[in-house]
Amino acid sequence: MNQSFDPQRFRQALGAFTTGVTIITALDADGTDVGMTANSFNSVSLTPPMVLWSLGHSSTNIAAFLQAKHFAVHILAADQDALALRFSQRGIDRFAGLPLERGVGGVPLLGGAAARLECRTAFQYEGGDHVIFVGEVLAFEHWEREPLVFKRGRFAYAVDKTTST
Ligand SMILES: Cc1cc2nc3c(=O)[nH]c(=O)nc-3n(C[C@H](O)[C@H](O)[C@H](O)COP(=O)(O)O)c2cc1C
């Protein structure tokens, strides 16, 4: 590998790619709820409906998601930044006190999102230090809520650009 390749600067360069923010949830092999914040989510295919996201090999959740037959994607609303932080923290019960619904395969579903997708794990690919999960969307819901944005390592609002006439 090129020795001058600086991972920190690479990370900063990638931060120019502004994204939404999701929380991905599943059940682990014991039936325990797992979930984490991810901005690597993207759409893949309309027919069949497919999406993807990637999870670091060093994640405490890697074994759970590798064996999970289903997962749910919550596309977070603008007022859910505290929830996004909570689901990125280690050493806490991320689900404590949260009202949950159950989706396909028993996956935990959180409220308040801008959209929610229930997926079947269709493919898993090695992607360097991450695993790429491709899910087939089995069910979805969405609400008229403004989305949460992640830009250059910080949460942000999306603002419409007005075209001058
Ligand atoms: C806005 C945001 C986006 C994130 N996106 C990802 C992601 O796409 N993939 C990933 O593996 N970790 C991502 N993380 C980090 C995880 O949420 C989590 O902090 C990390 O994996 C450590 O916790 P864990 O070991 O329980 O997974 C993101 C964190 C934040 C705050």
Side-chain angles (χ1 to χ4, degrees), residues 34-114:
V34 296
M36 59 172 292
T37 300
N39 73 328
S40 54
F41 171 82
N42 220 318
S43 52
V44 175
S45 165
L46 283 178
T47 313
M50 297 184 114
V51 297
L52 67 72
W53 67 291
S54 62
L55 174 60
H57 274 291
S58 62
S59 169
T60 55
N61 286 318
I62 189 76
F65 279 104
L66 284 172
Q67 61 78 41
K69 292 191 164 38
H70 299 94
F71 60 85
V73 180
H74 304 77
I75 299 176
L76 297 187
D79 63 356
Q80 291 187 301
D81 44 323
L83 197 65
L85 278 182
R86 181 207 272 230
F87 274 82
S88 70
Q89 277 167 10
R90 280 186 175 167
I92 60 162
D93 177 359
R94 295 173 181 173
F95 290 92
L98 295 177
L100 294 179
E101 294 166 55
R102 294 286 158 187
V104 60
V107 294
L109 299 177
L110 304 166

Side-chain angles (χ1 to χ4, degrees), residues 127-139:
D129 57 11
H130 280 56
V131 176
I132 301 159
F133 292 88
V134 176
E136 179 185 4
V137 181
L138 304 178

